[in-house]
Amino acid sequence: MKIVKTIQEVRNEVKSWRKEGLTVGLVPTMGYLHEGHKSLIDRAVSECDRVVVSDFVNPMQFGPTEDLASYPRDIDADAKLCEAAGANLIFHPEPEEMYKDGFCSFVDMTGLTNALCGLSRPVHFRGVCTVVSKLFNIVQPDKAYFGEKDAQQLAVVKRMVKDLNMPLEIVGCPIIREADGLAKSSRNTYLSEEGRKQAVILSKSIFLGKKMVEDGERDPEKVKKAMRDLIETQPMAKIDYVEIVDNTTMQSIEKIEGEILCAIAVKIGDEARLIDNFILKI
Ligand code: PAF
């Protein structure tokens, strides 16, 4: 497995695979890889002849007061995980390689991004859409793999690919959880011992909401209230949002029907802002 830092090296590698008629999968990541990322790489390896993992903490998707500087990084550990999982290439560029002097072109979206994380992180999805488009143009994969933990990101990327006629398939992969239910995230490393204990309230509230809907509750307000009440039992937990939306449009719904996304974002003290969700088809 190779690690390369330039766009030209990626292009050369992919070109040689294409000459052999091989298919290519891309797993876009910001590094500090965990079991969740590994599940994406495993899926890509099982479906594609060659797999590229991009490992790039994208400055453009962080707001000015967010955690760009402290975001965890460990390329050596990432390389080991990728190698063991059977990836063929890691693309690990410097920000200057991705955003050359004078960079001023962006991919942006309306509608889907004016909800959930898009409200509390106003520049986030513009940064995600821009970097993901660039990665698609650089690698030109047949398929790209994204986690369902970032459910809004997955919906946004699917919409962008459809709207802009990008010639690849987007594959969503299930959330991977710790033994106690907490969704795996690179940001879990920010948690203190006490914060980690209290953070399990996210998945507990997700499991509660899911059970209520599975048991027949169709009023989103009742489900959201029960989830909020449960989250608020933890003194460190500060709710950013608890929402139930249509899983394609990301807009609020008055009755639970069709394919719904129930998504939450919760701050644990000043340690970390974590997200979790469930998707159900009624
Ligand atoms: O989900 C992530 O880690 C990032 O948002 C992505 C898709 C790699 C873009 O930087």
Side-chain angles (χ1 to χ4, degrees), residues 91-151:
F91 177 41
H92 181 52
E94 295 299 327
E96 299 72 36
E97 175 70 2
M98 291 296 273
Y99 302 113
K100 299 249 154 74
D101 249 3
F103 185 94
C104 58
S105 307
F106 302 90
V107 180
D108 207 352
M109 191 176 287
T110 56
L112 268 72
T113 52
N114 298 331
L116 310 178
C117 287
L119 295 177
S120 27
R121 307 187 70 192
V123 299
H124 178 66
F125 286 111
R126 181 170 100 145
V128 169
C129 287
T130 302
V131 81
V132 168
S133 302
K134 284 173 66 70
L135 292 167
F136 290 172
N137 285 333
I138 293 164
V139 179
Q140 303 195 359
D142 299 284
K143 294 186 179 192
Y145 297 80
F146 292 83
E148 285 173 358
K149 184 172 81 71
D150 298 293

Side-chain angles (χ1 to χ4, degrees), residues 28-30 37 56 58 61 71 124 128 131-132 135 146 150 153:
T29 82
M30 296 208 301
H37 298 107
F56 176 59
N58 173 34
Q61 69 190 69
Y71 197 85
H124 178 66
V128 169
V131 81
V132 168
L135 292 167
F146 292 83
D150 298 293
Q153 168 172 281

Side-chain angles (χ1 to χ4, degrees), residues 29-72:
T29 82
M30 296 208 301
Y32 216 70
L33 306 179
H34 50 65
E35 288 292 311
H37 298 107
K38 187 177 172 300
S39 74
L40 304 182
I41 302 170
D42 288 344
R43 176 88 179 263
V45 167
S46 76
E47 294 182 354
C48 306
D49 299 322
R50 294 290 180 268
V51 172
V52 180
V53 178
S54 64
D55 187 314
F56 176 59
V57 181
N58 173 34
M60 199 189 283
Q61 69 190 69
F62 289 79
T65 60
E66 292 181 359
D67 56 342
L68 173 62
S70 55
Y71 197 85

Side-chain angles (χ1 to χ4, degrees), residues 36-264:
H37 298 107
K38 187 177 172 300
S39 74
L40 304 182
I41 302 170
D42 288 344
R43 176 88 179 263
V45 167
S46 76
E47 294 182 354
C48 306
D49 299 322
R50 294 290 180 268
V51 172
V52 180
V53 178
S54 64
D55 187 314
F56 176 59
V57 181
N58 173 34
M60 199 189 283
Q61 69 190 69
F62 289 79
T65 60
E66 292 181 359
D67 56 342
L68 173 62
S70 55
Y71 197 85
R73 292 155 167 93
D74 187 345
I75 186 65
D76 295 334
D78 291 351
K80 280 195 190 121
L81 185 147
C82 288
E83 173 113 64
N88 303 93
L89 185 72
I90 298 183
F91 177 41
H92 181 52
E94 295 299 327
E96 299 72 36
E97 175 70 2
M98 291 296 273
Y99 302 113
K100 299 249 154 74
D101 249 3
F103 185 94
C104 58
S105 307
F106 302 90
V107 180
D108 207 352
M109 191 176 287
T110 56
L112 268 72
T113 52
N114 298 331
L116 310 178
C117 287
L119 295 177
S120 27
R121 307 187 70 192
V123 299
H124 178 66
F125 286 111
R126 181 170 100 145
V128 169
C129 287
T130 302
V131 81
V132 168
S133 302
K134 284 173 66 70
L135 292 167
F136 290 172
N137 285 333
I138 293 164
V139 179
Q140 303 195 359
D142 299 284
K143 294 186 179 192
Y145 297 80
F146 292 83
E148 285 173 358
K149 184 172 81 71
D150 298 293
Q152 187 177 16
Q153 168 172 281
L154 178 59
V156 163
V157 170
K158 280 186 176 161
R159 186 77 226 185
M160 174 182 81
V161 163
K162 189 175 176 185
D163 286 354
L164 302 182
N165 310 98
M166 295 176 169
L168 79 162
E169 184 189 331
I170 301 302
V171 182
C173 303
I175 297 176
I176 305 293
R177 298 182 179 279
E178 302 285 351
D180 65 357
L182 180 69
K184 300 246 183 197
S185 165
S186 307
R187 289 191 167 97
N188 291 348
T189 53
Y190 296 151
L191 297 168
S192 63
E193 203 179 317
E194 184 53 33
R196 173 65 186 80
K197 273 191 209 150
Q198 297 198 21
V200 78
I201 205 64
L202 276 95
S203 53
K204 282 195 172 151
S205 83
I206 285 295
F207 299 152
L208 168 70
K210 187 164 184 237
K211 173 134 195 347
M212 286 178 76
V213 178
E214 282 171 345
D215 288 350
E217 182 56 66
R218 293 293 173 261
D219 181 349
E221 294 310 319
K222 284 197 183 141
V223 178
K224 288 193 281 184
K225 165 125 189 11
M227 292 173 67
R228 296 185 82 96
D229 288 349
L230 182 61
I231 296 168
E232 280 163 357
T233 60
Q234 297 304 298
M236 289 175 79
K238 278 181 253 154
I239 295 175
D240 179 351
Y241 62 77
V242 173
E243 287 297 341
I244 301 182
V245 298
D246 177 292
N247 191 35
T248 310
T249 64
M250 301 289 116
Q251 301 309 305
S252 311
I253 49 174
E254 280 173 12
K255 182 167 185 252
I256 296 179
E257 59 191 352
E259 186 166 292
I260 60 127
L261 164 67
C262 174
I264 65 176

